Amino acid sequence: MENPPEWGDGGRGRRVVVIGGGVAGSLIAKSLQFDADLTLIDPKDYFEIPWASLRATVEPSFAERSLIHHKDYLANGRLIVSEVTNITNKEVLTADGHQVTYDYLVVATGHYDPLPVTRTDRLEEYQTENEKIKAADSILIVGGGPTGVELAAEIAVDFPQKKVTLVHDGSRLLEFIGPKASDKTLEWLKNKNVELKLMQSVDLSNNTNNSDGNRTYFTSSGETIRVDCHFLCTGKPPGSEWLRETYLKDRIDNFGRLKVDENLRIKGHRNIFAVGDITDIKELKQGYSAQKHALVAAKNLKLLMSGGKEGKLAIYEPRSSPKIIVSLGRQDAVAQFSFTTIIGLVPGMIKSKDLYVGKTRKKMGLQPK
């Protein structure tokens, strides 16, 4: 284990740098801002509530609440809007030339998902995507995980006159949950006139322009799909590629995730934490888990900065059977609990109306509405 270079004789440094302003990074920055000399580094000037993004695609005004300026919750911290280019044992270097010294470092870069730098540009992007949907008669969605399923459901509910086709290369939808939930979701989508093509893939680069302005795509089984527009909803890789030339390059596993211990410290480093989807913790990568990571790591950082004993560090324990809810439009959802699987209005009441946006804003110290 390495000690921070600035600890010296008995003193604990208070300079904390958080890299990444997503679900986990924004919450840990908010939680530590009055206990540390805190710097948040993020390539964009806002935090986006990711599980609200598909609703914002069909209703752009929804994003007014789900896109939050970092400065709205970070009253007592420093914000640097830039990519990080390198990490050493004492500094973080950014693309715009900052060299930020740290006593403690938190890596929270989640999945690689390049987004517009400014909140204004992101709002405009949602408006553009919404106009694309409104102008289309037929829409192709590639990917049958939670993103593809939720987008198909949002469009089917808000624009029932649109022809939606969902192509998925797996044998069932939502493969990360049980088959009962997958089957119920499949029937729900079929009842909303979504056409489903399983065990097939689409090469989006292989398409032909038609005289009426739409495009023809070809599936791996030789079927043709004529649509006006498409959305790619497949998984995103961990946001760790940039780490491979840094001080932490030997702490990345074969899946691109950072190896952490039970206290959420990167293995071999006493003063560097990792939280959120970037970690190698064996659990479903959910927003709830990322928030829990942030709170556990914040508690541990406060303990260390106050000179507390390492034996008292909080331990992160993944849930053995996590609650999973996939929204299906504005009222319905499919939910898998440890004891049962249900679909319809009841799980929809838990998630689908507000998509936890008010609850998340409150957790960030903001007005829910």
Side-chain angles (χ1 to χ4, degrees):
M1 286 273 191
E2 295 188 17
N3 281 329
E6 288 79 21
W7 273 8
D9 298 326
R12 293 293 194 266
R14 299 173 67 86
R15 291 170 294 186
V16 177
V17 175
V18 178
I19 304 173
V23 175
S26 61
L27 184 56
I28 201 168
K30 183 256 180 190
S31 303
L32 292 174
Q33 61 181 319
F34 296 106
D35 297 280
D37 176 8
L38 183 117
T39 301
L40 172 64
I41 306 175
D42 192 53
K44 57 193 191 316
D45 68 9
Y46 57 94
F47 158 54
E48 173 158 13
I49 301 173
W51 45 86
S53 63
L54 303 173
R55 179 66 50 80
T57 304
V58 298
E59 182 191 340
S61 61
F62 196 76
E64 293 287 352
R65 292 171 57 234
S66 62
L67 299 180
I68 300 166
H69 277 297
H70 288 310
K71 290 184 177 178
D72 286 349
Y73 66 83
L74 200 61
N76 198 45
R78 188 180 303 106
L79 172 66
I80 297 174
V81 179
S82 179
E83 300 277 355
V84 171
T85 55
N86 200 8
I87 295 170
T88 71
N89 67 336
K90 61 180 179 179
E91 284 184 330
V92 176
L93 286 70
T94 68
D96 65 354
H98 285 88
Q99 293 177 272
V100 189
T101 304
Y102 66 85
D103 300 311
Y104 296 94
L105 177 64
V106 181
V107 181
T109 46
H111 283 89
Y112 179 69
D113 188 16
L115 294 171
V117 173
T118 70
R119 181 179 182 272
T120 300
D121 285 349
R122 181 62 167 146
L123 287 169
E124 288 180 3
E125 189 172 75
Y126 276 126
Q127 195 67 48
T128 300
E129 289 186 342
N130 181 252
E131 288 166 5
K132 182 169 81 170
I133 291 172
K134 285 181 174 176
D137 293 321
S138 52
I139 299 163
L140 169 64
I141 294 172
V142 179
T147 304
V149 165
E150 290 191 353
L151 180 58
E154 291 285 349
I155 295 172
V157 167
D158 276 26
F159 302 97
Q161 74 280 13
K162 310 286 184 188
K163 177 176 171 52
V164 179
T165 302
L166 189 153
V167 178
H168 181 53
D169 61 5
S171 60
R172 61 184 179 90
L173 301 173
L174 304 173
E175 290 165 293
F176 69 103
I177 57 178
K180 189 178 288 186
S182 296
D183 292 344
K184 288 177 182 288
T185 302
L186 182 80
E187 289 306 312
W188 188 95
L189 288 170
K190 283 183 176 178
N191 288 336
K192 297 293 182 185
N193 297 316
V194 175
E195 184 177 0
L196 294 140
K197 296 181 184 294
L198 301 179
M199 300 293 289
Q200 299 186 56
S201 58
V202 176
D203 179 1
L204 293 172
S205 64
N206 179 23
N207 64 83
T208 58
N209 265 321
N210 301 316
S211 58
D212 55 3
N214 62 20
R215 290 179 178 272
T216 299
Y217 295 92
F218 306 93
T219 75
S220 54
S221 64
E223 293 188 48
T224 59
I225 305 172
R226 287 175 63 121
V227 291
D228 296 318
C229 68
H230 76 269
F231 290 90
L232 180 62
C233 299
T234 52
K236 300 178 177 70
S240 60
E241 196 59 35
W242 64 280
L243 284 164
R244 295 189 184 278
E245 302 299 323
T246 74
Y247 175 59
L248 299 176
K249 62 185 177 184
D250 296 330
R251 295 294 178 260
I252 303 170
D253 71 8
N254 293 334
F255 301 100
R257 303 191 188 281
L258 284 167
K259 303 172 187 176
V260 295
D261 63 19
E262 62 185 5
N263 310 123
L264 297 176
R265 292 190 291 188
I266 294 177
K267 289 181 177 177
H269 298 274
R270 285 181 172 174
N271 65 319
I272 305 180
F273 289 74
V275 291
D277 289 357
I278 194 75
T279 66
D280 71 338
I281 296 169
K282 303 297 185 287
E283 64 182 355
L284 279 177
K285 301 302 180 184
Q286 294 180 294
Y288 169 86
S289 300
Q291 290 174 331
K292 193 176 175 187
H293 290 191
L295 297 176
V296 169
K299 183 177 181 180
N300 287 340
L301 280 159
K302 289 175 185 178
L303 177 79
L304 292 172
M305 286 188 291
S306 65
K309 295 180 179 178
E310 293 205 1
K312 293 188 176 181
L313 287 170
I315 293 172
Y316 175 74
E317 297 178 0
R319 289 192 293 180
S320 57
S321 55
K323 176 180 71 177
I324 301 166
I325 303 178
V326 177
S327 65
L328 298 170
R330 294 175 182 272
Q331 293 185 312
D332 294 343
V334 60
Q336 179 176 291
F337 303 107
S338 57
F339 53 90
T340 189
T341 298
I342 55 176
I343 192 167
L345 290 171
V346 174
M349 289 170 66
I350 300 172
K351 179 181 180 183
S352 298
K353 184 178 179 181
D354 193 53
L355 300 173
Y356 305 136
V357 170
K359 187 176 180 180
T360 305
R361 288 179 61 86
K362 194 173 179 181
K363 197 180 287 271
M364 298 302 292
L366 304 172
Q367 289 293 324
K369 298 296 183 185

